[in-house]
Amino acid sequence: MTETAMALDSAPHSLPKTPSGIEGFDDITLGGLPQGRPTLVCGAAGCGKTLFAMTFLVNGAVRFDEPGVFMSFEERAEDLTANVASLGVDVPALVAARKLAIDHVRVERSEIEENGEYDLEGLFVRLGYAIKSVGAKRVVLDTVEALFSGFTDTGILRAELRRLFGWLKDQGVTAVITGERGEGQLTRQGLEEYVSDCVILLDNRVEEQITTRRLRIVKYRGSSHGTNEYPFLIDEQGISVVPITSAGLAHKTSDEPVSSGVPGLDAMLGAGGFYRGSSVLVTGGSGTGKTIFGAQFASATCRRGERCLLFTFEESPSQLIRNVRSVGLDLRPHLDAGLLRIESARPSLFGFEMHLARMVRDVRRFRPTAVVIDPISAFHGPSSEIQAALLRLIDILKEDGITALFTGLTASGPMTDADHMVSSLMDAWISLRCIEETGERNRGLYVLKARGMGHSNQIREYRLTGQGVVLIEPYLGSGGVMTGSARLAEEARERAETMRRQRATEQRRRDFERKRLSTERQVAELRAALDAEAAELERLDEQATSWEQSLEQDRDAMAVIRGAAE
Amino acid sequence: MTDGPGYDHTAPRYTLRLYVTGSTPRSTRAIENMRRICATHLDGRYDLEVIDIYQNPVAAVDQQIIAAPTLVKLLPLPLRRVVGDLSDTEKVLAGLEIQPHPLPPSA
């Protein structure tokens, strides 16, 4: 997200916000941390509190022109510098440019003796001095609870901390205060009582020897925020959070088809391809060519001049390139043109959610129009979790209008529950099958579903040739689809049968024609006889009429005669 | 602001700094208490510097001052800090490892 976009985003909210610049975090908080207020970031040791805080400061200094002060109660300035240097942050340069000030507050219990009344004004003076020296807008206190190990009078400490947080608000600085996770409460000393505007919990859980970092916004006064646990990632590129899209199913849909990269397959889909922004699942057993379908789809995307991101979890990029070259698919030019990027990682490297976080970050940075994930079945774990994570990934991709092709290995036999769950998330599903018959192993595919479009119901044989995936004209025998030489034999038999049928039909047609002609002849004869009879009848009719007329005349004549006689 | 005339060859010389915050009652009390303790128990074997961290915040950073008032004993080693208004003389003496004067005037 760009700076301007963020400013626009936070504009409609009543609460002004300060963007952290941490990928994904500003999305789930609808803009960042509460501006001019302290935020508590708590979590157990090693969960990334210090890094979160440092990233907040460095982003402020580098991207938002907001200098910052880092007051460290634990690590020395040199250690802090070394820790973030691995993320490519040059702290000494920022300090030299007066964009960052670091003050290490050393709390040494053995040196301190308490005698009479005191306050923590020394801390206030140092902080005030540091803020003034760089014109700081952001402040980090990491980890302020270390004070409790140096001073015994917790009454004074608590009162002074309360005063400190109030004072920070008066200074108008946006502060991040880190706290170590305590038992039964968020922080050891219950800091959440004092810092009540925004509380963020970081967590680092190990399940089945795989670590997943999660972030949760416990509280955000005066602002809506995502309430879920969000996985987040710390690696050589810093910290990033995977947001679950708040809108859910509000993404725009497109009617535009994008090619699957396999011409015959496009023809099987009513729209002439997959809809742009849809999620497609390609499943099949071992050796059905799932990866090749993925690579062909990627290649077709790049040929249109669009960017494609290919995640592979079973092969290294070079291995993938070599393997698909065997079917005449050369991905090198696309890589060189910067249109294709291949990211590979072992599935066991970290948990699925962490993979997800990494994928989302890579997607956000590379901004592809299509993504291939090969394969999703590489991930193991509770299917509900994987489904939830996949759903999140699909939502994120859909929101950006990115067409996604997932491949999945299916065991032969009935579908498992996990298959059903994953498939319900997908808009289209292409099933690849191995058909073993008459001593051959052939490959067939069919469109299992394609939401929002008519599609072929055929099972089509396909071959992996030197020109990629080629679909063969379908042959449907009486026993179902036939493939390979069985198909060829069946086709020959069928042709002979057709010819025989054609001949028989012609014979019947000739017979019929003859019959028709003779019938018509008989009809004509009968009609002629009928006409003759009708003419005879008419003649008789005329005779009768003339006879009556003459009778009438005779009667008149007789009357005249009789009248004359009277 | 350096106090302490006179010199004793037998006992160690104390270098003390008192960090205060302006002229708050607590600061004033701490300064008074410290001057009294020095005069009574150190008999000229001390250099006491009073530093106002409001005027000199860098000094607070340099000497890792957190609380105020803070008394820092730089010499003799080891370094010691006493925070508070120094109202308990015996604790101050113990904390700074100063042998109390055998006949304090208040006794």
Side-chain angles (χ1 to χ4, degrees):
Chain A
M1 197 181 242
T2 63
E3 283 84 308
T4 18
M6 218 136 21
L8 286 174
D9 248 5
S10 55
H13 304 290
S14 53
L15 194 72
K17 294 189 181 175
T18 295
S20 67
I22 293 169
E23 272 177 270
F25 181 79
D26 295 329
D27 296 337
I28 59 175
T29 51
L30 310 175
L33 300 175
Q35 197 174 85
R37 290 157 185 250
T39 293
L40 180 65
V41 176
C42 47
C47 68
K49 301 185 292 289
T50 303
L51 188 69
F52 183 97
M54 194 48 139
T55 310
F56 164 73
L57 276 196
V58 169
N59 283 338
V62 175
R63 291 168 52 188
F64 305 108
D65 196 26
E66 291 196 351
V69 168
F70 197 104
M71 190 168 247
S72 170
F73 294 83
E74 287 179 336
E75 288 176 281
R76 293 178 306 148
E78 304 89 85
D79 298 333
L80 274 175
T81 304
N83 291 351
V84 294
S86 59
L87 305 176
V89 177
D90 189 355
V91 168
L94 288 172
V95 171
R98 303 189 77 76
K99 292 197 153 213
L100 191 64
I102 298 180
D103 188 1
H104 172 223
V105 178
R106 196 162 53 87
V107 184
E108 193 71 61
R109 177 77 199 102
S110 61
E111 286 180 0
I112 301 172
E113 178 112 10
E114 284 162 52
N115 189 328
E117 289 174 35
Y118 64 92
D119 54 33
L120 296 186
E121 197 61 23
L123 202 63
F124 285 72
V125 166
R126 287 167 73 169
L127 199 48
Y129 171 69
I131 290 172
K132 204 180 272 178
S133 69
V134 294
K137 296 273 187 291
R138 299 176 180 213
V139 166
V140 167
L141 303 180
D142 179 54
T143 303
V144 77
E145 284 176 315
L147 287 173
F148 285 87
S149 68
F151 297 88
T152 50
D153 194 335
T154 54
I156 290 181
L157 280 179
R158 288 179 184 283
E160 285 296 278
L161 283 180
R162 193 183 290 274
R163 186 163 74 93
L164 178 65
F165 300 145
W167 179 83
L168 283 170
K169 273 192 197 177
D170 294 342
Q171 302 294 307
V173 292
T174 307
V176 168
I177 291 139
T178 66
E180 193 98 339
R181 188 83 198 257
E183 294 210 356
Q185 51 189 3
L186 291 173
T187 58
R188 286 207 184 130
Q189 304 297 338
L191 285 184
E192 58 271 24
E193 281 179 45
Y194 313 129
V195 187
S196 46
D197 290 306
C198 182
V199 178
I200 293 157
L201 182 64
L202 304 182
D203 189 21
N204 196 4
R205 255 177 277 164
V206 181
E207 281 159 15
E208 294 179 6
Q209 293 154 29
I210 285 173
T211 305
T212 307
R213 297 176 187 276
R214 291 188 174 88
L215 176 149
R216 182 161 69 93
I217 296 158
V218 179
K219 175 173 181 177
Y220 199 143
R221 188 175 281 174
S223 167
S224 58
H225 58 82
T227 52
N228 298 345
E229 277 194 314
Y230 302 91
F232 74 98
L233 182 70
I234 295 175
D235 66 3
E236 67 283 353
Q237 298 183 59
I239 189 166
S240 50
V241 182
V242 183
I244 303 170
T245 49
S246 48
L249 293 169
H251 40 256
K252 286 194 294 257
T253 52
S254 167
D255 290 337
E256 183 196 343
V258 289
S259 172
S260 65
V262 181
L265 180 56
D266 288 345
M268 289 173 78
L269 299 161
F274 306 125
Y275 284 130
R276 186 177 287 280
S278 65
S279 307
V280 182
L281 179 65
V282 176
T283 60
S286 302
T288 47
K290 298 181 294 296
T291 302
I292 292 165
F293 273 87
Q296 205 152 335
F297 172 69
S299 178
T301 306
C302 295
R303 273 201 305 275
R304 288 194 304 270
E306 297 173 15
R307 276 194 297 278
C308 181
L309 188 51
L310 202 157
F311 295 100
T312 164
F313 296 102
E314 286 179 342
E315 296 170 298
S316 70
S318 59
Q319 197 184 350
L320 176 84
I321 291 165
R322 185 202 64 196
N323 292 353
V324 301
R325 199 185 294 135
S326 69
V327 291
L329 207 55
D330 193 1
L331 297 177
R332 273 268 163 236
H334 302 315
L335 279 172
D336 294 342
L339 290 172
L340 180 66
R341 232 176 81 186
I342 302 176
E343 291 287 332
S344 70
R346 274 275 161 218
S348 55
L349 191 60
F350 28 70
F352 187 62
E353 295 209 310
M354 298 292 269
H355 277 289
L356 179 74
R358 199 180 63 103
M359 287 191 267
V360 169
R361 188 198 56 203
D362 289 345
V363 165
R364 292 261 153 102
R365 295 207 175 151
F366 189 59
R367 303 208 154 274
T369 61
V371 165
V372 177
I373 291 158
D374 179 45
I376 48 168
S377 46
F379 298 98
H380 295 287
S383 55
S384 62
E385 252 175 52
I386 290 189
Q387 196 209 14
L390 261 182
L391 180 63
R392 209 174 304 160
L393 178 63
I394 288 171
D395 268 349
I396 289 163
L397 294 174
K398 281 206 164 147
E399 189 162 299
D400 293 349
I402 297 169
T403 317
L405 189 145
F406 302 83
T407 70
L409 177 71
T410 47
S412 52
M415 289 203 305
T416 62
D417 286 351
D419 292 340
H420 278 293
M421 280 205 270
V422 168
S423 65
S424 67
L425 304 175
M426 301 292 172
D427 297 314
W429 186 359
I430 312 296
S431 180
L432 308 180
R433 283 288 156 96
C434 272
I435 300 155
E436 290 175 19
E437 258 176 8
T438 58
E440 282 180 9
R441 187 167 175 278
N442 295 298
R443 300 181 174 100
L445 72 75
Y446 61 97
V447 180
L448 215 149
K449 75 164 175 186
R451 279 180 190 152
M453 62 172 86
H455 55 84
S456 165
N457 63 352
Q458 285 175 332
I459 298 182
R460 293 282 295 269
E461 186 186 356
Y462 67 95
R463 281 214 295 261
L464 304 176
T465 69
Q467 283 81 45
V469 178
V470 172
L471 263 63
I472 294 161
E473 278 309 306
Y475 173 75
L476 291 152
S478 46
V481 70
M482 287 200 161
T483 56
S485 54
R487 171 175 51 79
L488 295 175
E490 186 65 20
E491 273 173 5
R493 201 187 57 75
E494 182 81 343
R495 266 195 302 278
E497 171 73 11
T498 309
M499 249 144 77
R500 197 191 54 73
R501 257 202 315 271
Q502 274 173 357
R503 275 198 298 274
T505 311
E506 271 167 34
Q507 185 60 45
R508 284 279 299 275
R509 188 169 293 130
R510 277 196 297 274
D511 290 350
F512 170 76
E513 190 64 17
R514 254 199 312 278
K515 205 168 169 185
R516 189 176 63 82
L517 286 171
S518 84
T519 309
E520 275 175 9
R521 242 188 335 266
Q522 284 172 6
V523 169
E525 278 167 16
L526 286 171
R527 177 156 297 144
L530 211 62
D531 286 348
E533 212 165 310
E536 179 66 20
L537 252 171
E538 202 163 328
R539 201 170 47 78
L540 287 173
D541 230 24
E542 274 169 20
Q543 278 178 352
T545 312
S546 60
W547 181 75
E548 255 173 52
Q549 276 173 353
S550 60
L551 205 65
E552 189 85 5
Q553 285 165 359
D554 289 349
R555 236 192 329 266
D556 290 347
M558 271 164 72
V560 170
I561 296 164
R562 207 181 283 139
E566 280 170 8
Chain B
M1 282 206 274
T2 304
D3 288 14
Y7 198 73
D8 189 329
H9 290 277
T10 56
R13 189 169 181 84
Y14 282 81
T15 307
L16 304 169
R17 277 187 199 159
L18 181 59
Y19 294 84
V20 295
T21 46
S23 51
T24 55
R26 201 178 286 153
S27 297
T28 314
R29 214 156 52 233
I31 295 169
E32 279 170 5
N33 284 335
M34 199 57 217
R35 287 212 169 121
R36 188 173 41 76
I37 291 167
C38 287
T40 311
H41 301 279
L42 287 174
D43 194 22
R45 295 178 289 117
Y46 66 96
D47 298 305
L48 175 64
E49 195 182 348
V50 177
I51 296 164
D52 179 1
I53 57 172
Y54 285 162
Q55 304 295 322
N56 189 357
V58 180
V61 178
D62 290 344
Q63 204 44 254
Q64 284 291 349
I65 303 304
I66 301 166
T70 297
L71 176 72
V72 179
K73 182 194 71 163
L74 293 171
L75 286 171
L77 292 173
L79 189 124
R80 288 275 171 224
R81 294 161 200 274
V82 181
V83 302
D85 61 6
L86 311 171
S87 47
D88 186 337
T89 305
E90 277 178 35
K91 264 182 84 180
V92 174
L93 294 176
L96 298 181
E97 292 162 353
I98 295 172
Q99 290 295 316
H101 196 279
L103 286 169
S106 54

